[in-house]
Amino acid sequence: MPQSAEKILDHAPLFREPEYRKMLAEKKLNFECPHPDEIVSDQRDFTQTWEYREKNLARKALVVNPAKACQPLGAVFAAAGFERTMSFVHGSQGCVAYYRSHLSRHFKEPAAAVSSSMTEDAAVFGGLKNMVDGLANTYQLYDPKMIAVSTTCMAEVIGDDLHSFIQNAKDEDSVPRDFDVPFAHTPAFVGSHVDGYDNMVKGILEHFWKGQERTQVEGAINIIPGFDGFCVGNNRELKRLLDVMGVSYTFIQDASDQFDTPSDGEYRMYDGGTKINEVKKALNAEATLSLQHHNTRKTLGYCEEVGQATASFHYPLGVQATDEFLMEVAAISGKEIPEAIRLERGRLVDAMADSQSWLHGKKYAIYGDPDFVHAMARFVMETGGEPTHCLATNGTSAWEAGLKKLLASSPFGKAAQVWAGKDLWALRSLLFTEPVDLLIGNSYGKYLERDTGTPLIRLMFPIFDRHHHHRFALFGYQGALRVLTTILDKIFDKLDRETSETGVTDYSYDLTR
Amino acid sequence: MSREYENDGALHAKLIEEVLSHYPDKAAKRRKKHLNVAKSGNEAGGESEVLSECDVKSNIKSIPGVMTIRGCAYAGSKGVVWGPVKDMVHISHGPVGCGQYSWSQRRNYYVGTTGVDTFGTMQFTSDFQEKDIVFGGDKKLEQIIDEIEVLFPLNNGITVQSECPIGLIGDDTEAVSRKKTKEYDKTIVPVRCEGFRGVSQSLGHHIANDAIRDWVFDKKDVKFEAGPYDVNVIGDYNIGGDAWASRILLEEIGLRVVGNWSGDATLAEIERAPKAKLNLIHCYRSMNYICRHMEEKYGVAWMEYNFFGPSQIEASLRNIAKHFGPEIEEKTEKVIAKYRPLVDAVIAKYLSRLEGNTVMLYVGGLRPRHVVTAYEDLGMVIVGTGYEFAHSDDYQRTGHYVKNGTLIYDDVTGYELEKFIEGIRPNLVGSGIKEKYPVQKMGIPFRQMHSWDYSGPYHGYDGFAIFARDVDLAINNPVWDLFHAPWKRSRGDERAMAAE
């Protein structure tokens, strides 16, 4: 009997015990009707070949292990970045359960959102009644300052019109007439979560800005961070830099406090976020900067429409990307970049110089959201690494073109390949046929790590199986220092593991590296 | 070790009244029917005594905008019933999200070569685009099945798990499945589990059961030599290895588990199920339908059992053994005796650390009653419980488990659950990922009772030891005493000051 009260074995060791191994082997033999072992191992080997890769990349319809989610997830994340805002997703209720779970599993935090709980009758007659009742219930139960409405694909397929539905709900006194209910249509069959983010932020800005007089405040800057699983660490780090510079700025959408509430006995359903007054005033800013170009195309277009200057970045991570961001901020705000920040920069470069021999020539596969992949490829090249495979399932042709231009600008990007629209099963073939030293992505990459042996570095949403990484910044020089250390740790740990067998590799297991 | 206690029914009735007063009238009227306090059962006797009556409305539509915790039919079919069948490819048919959010989240353990002959922790989606909505997705589905056959030729079958748009745009996944079944001579199962169907995951379970009946049973000539002690385990999804910790016991008492539905299952195990002598059903809610069908059509008897905690395990083992006669009964007594020292040692280790601690539960369709006795075996007290998607027969069965005065909440809303927990302040809450962090912020220990909080198994004797350890580590961790900053007056003090 493997179990004892003294040493309780849970699943990880328990099923390795002989009783269970025997039981599972017999189950397989007697009851599972498996394919013969040889056929399985032949097929496994075949999946590692160029021939399989070609078939795999030729896929036109099937998607396997994509690295993207659907629009409303982005909308719910976006709404969480505004003061006391409840997400109300119009459509089937199961979707909302999924968004909440997904966000909670990554942030290890509560994630509140409600659904209009449409069922079959609503599919036939439309979901107006659900909207009218739902807004009234949400308003009364959860005491929000704003309700941000988005849609599931069900509501989109049947063509529910949010604008008129919300108007109707107000006519029926579901919420007060002057209560803010911005909305965005977020069909799951168009784009991905980054577009849902874009649509929701644009919807909120339009709600507050439309028809308002704009009086430009020189030097004032709006910052839109984009969908970012590291918002907790990143936004705070960026604010620190901007404060050091003395810039007048407003974050439009900031979920850093919402997804990092303290444990002190009180459950805060809402915390932090951009104040509604600030959103209104943000119309007057001289410029709006997007930290993630591919996350905010529509929103930035709207900012231009109202007369603001705009500029966009690709996730300001690493040396030159941070330089560019700070210089743009300096140019608009008229504030100088202080000496303290120059010293920070110097310390990062110092660290990179200290470690360059371990990083030079290392090959990487990088996947994730478009701007993140762009940023990471750029930083990897700054360290002398080669971003061999750059993949974004939700990458567009414009993303591909922009990234290719970046890669062509450095000798370290010459051999790089860009894979827009491909999934992680495609990446599996790429890793087998053109291997790399390191894989950068999120938790889903662990299956690639297991199959191909490529060490995985988790630096992007969602991270389910490691804790608290998102609480630390990747942005700015400080963030880059953390990314650098994370990469180095992975390299050193691997080297130590590979040289740790006494009597075999006593050499190379060096005390100083 | 059934414990005698009574809960504070008056307090619970007051809490119900309070939460209802915050709703708009229309919603309050509807929610009132779902909340109640368990009353002493008047009918006693028979094999098991009814402890209480849990009289609430259930299995009806959730109210819009209240933050229901429920999921959808797709979650019930793909996520629960079909997803764990490991040698089949399950296509999440529609937009990308549903498959993405449910990818690898239920911890249905299995052994196999993933991506080669086994596909459990993979996400196959048709990733619908606007053009698929406009022009229909049947052609795409055909192409997807063709591509699966090229890249994953060792799959033993395919299921098509419909997401919301499929039913709305009028696709004919049945026709595609029939055509492709013929072409590849493989089992291809269309499942009409669009998320807007029904009121919760529950209809998805039912639809998934029906799909087994209509698209798997009697489709192939199943070669299998049946034995006198053949059983199927139905409704064990092998979360954290639950089904394995159960199987080891059933084999020890002399039974042959010829199929496990659906944790760690292969299609073959499902196809041969009608040849078994007895269906043992754990999750009644999600799979009773197919058990009833197998009874009617193939004469396979079925029996509910409960492998949470030693009291229920012993009772269940004896019940099961009775069905097979003296030889099995004798072995069963030996098995119970063999594990008795482990049970005694576990209880001796944890009882004093847990005795009298109160628990509130809110889970899916089975565990809100099934785990009650396991906590009681550790000396704990269940003060409130409720289901996401139970039906009235589940609440009837709950009466056998809970004590007078227990707070009962059906399809609880985020608001209600928070207020109930605040009002009762139990020592432990057992619920899901969406509930975990709000509860912990309140300073109340929590265990996820869907995923076993990444631990498990919790079934069987091996599982009980882990369950006891986990409950103890949740409640007795020092972090709960660190919430209060020592330089701040406590909230109790502030309230006292305000009252003065």
Side-chain angles (χ1 to χ4, degrees), chain A residues 92-94 118, chain B residues 71-74 162-164 193-198 200:
Chain A
S92 301
Q93 70 192 17
M118 285 165 67
Chain B
C72 63
Y74 164 89
S162 288
E163 300 170 5
C164 286
C193 55
E194 286 89 345
F196 61 80
R197 295 194 197 278
S200 67

Side-chain angles (χ1 to χ4, degrees), chain B residues 125-155:
Chain B
T125 170
S126 43
D127 189 15
F128 258 38
Q129 301 299 304
E130 199 150 24
K131 63 176 193 309
D132 302 314
I133 301 288
V134 176
F135 299 111
D138 286 341
K139 284 247 159 58
K140 186 174 199 176
L141 180 57
E142 286 194 31
Q143 206 180 345
I144 283 170
I145 292 170
D146 293 340
E147 290 177 353
I148 287 172
E149 289 305 315
V150 171
L151 292 171
F152 307 98
L154 300 188
N155 80 75

Side-chain angles (χ1 to χ4, degrees), chain A residues 264-282:
Chain A
D264 57 6
E266 181 195 350
Y267 161 47
R268 298 156 174 82
M269 182 169 273
Y270 311 101
D271 201 6
T274 310
K275 297 251 187 300
I276 284 165
N277 267 340
E278 290 174 354
V279 181
K280 289 179 184 165
K281 275 196 288 187

Side-chain angles (χ1 to χ4, degrees), chain A residues 3 5 11 20 27 31-32 35 52 60 62-63 65-66 68 93 109 115 121 133 137-138 142 261 447, chain B residues 26 61 64-66 86 100 104 123 125 127 147 151 154 199 264 269 272 349 415 441 454 456 462:
Chain A
Q3 196 67 289
H11 54 89
Y20 278 101
K27 173 181 184 282
F31 303 112
E32 292 188 355
H35 296 284
Y52 187 87
K60 289 272 186 300
L62 171 68
V63 174
N65 299 352
K68 67 170 181 182
Q93 70 192 17
E109 286 289 323
S115 162
D121 51 345
D133 290 351
N137 290 330
T138 304
Y142 297 111
T261 60
Y447 299 121
Chain B
K26 189 174 161 190
K61 269 195 279 187
V66 296
K86 65 180 178 178
Q100 201 70 4
S104 284
Q123 130 74 330
T125 170
D127 189 15
E147 290 177 353
L151 292 171
L154 300 188
V199 303
D264 192 37
E269 294 178 54
R272 84 167 67 94
K349 185 171 178 181
Y415 177 81
K441 302 272 179 197
Y454 322 117
D462 288 343

Side-chain angles (χ1 to χ4, degrees), chain A residues 280-317:
Chain A
K280 289 179 184 165
K281 275 196 288 187
L283 173 62
N284 300 325
E286 181 181 339
T288 296
L289 307 185
S290 161
L291 303 184
Q292 297 195 64
H293 174 80
H294 299 286
N295 264 238
T296 50
R297 285 163 294 176
K298 287 185 183 167
T299 305
L300 274 201
Y302 178 63
C303 293
E304 279 163 26
E305 256 174 57
V306 302
Q308 296 172 346
T310 64
S312 59
F313 302 87
H314 301 291
Y315 209 82
L317 178 160

Side-chain angles (χ1 to χ4, degrees), chain B residues 396-453:
Chain B
Q396 274 166 18
R397 285 165 166 76
T398 310
H400 293 274
Y401 284 95
V402 300
K403 304 290 197 289
N404 191 34
T406 306
L407 181 59
I408 306 291
Y409 28 83
D410 177 71
D411 184 20
V412 81
T413 68
Y415 177 81
E416 289 162 9
L417 191 60
E418 186 190 334
K419 294 298 161 195
F420 289 156
I421 291 169
E422 235 173 44
I424 294 172
R425 288 207 67 89
N427 300 104
L428 181 76
V429 174
S431 189
I433 183 69
K434 303 191 289 298
E435 295 70 63
K436 179 181 174 78
Y437 300 106
V439 172
Q440 291 188 171
K441 302 272 179 197
M442 292 156 78
I444 294 173
F446 188 97
R447 289 295 296 178
Q448 290 183 66
M449 294 302 282
H450 299 265
S451 67
W452 304 147
D453 233 311

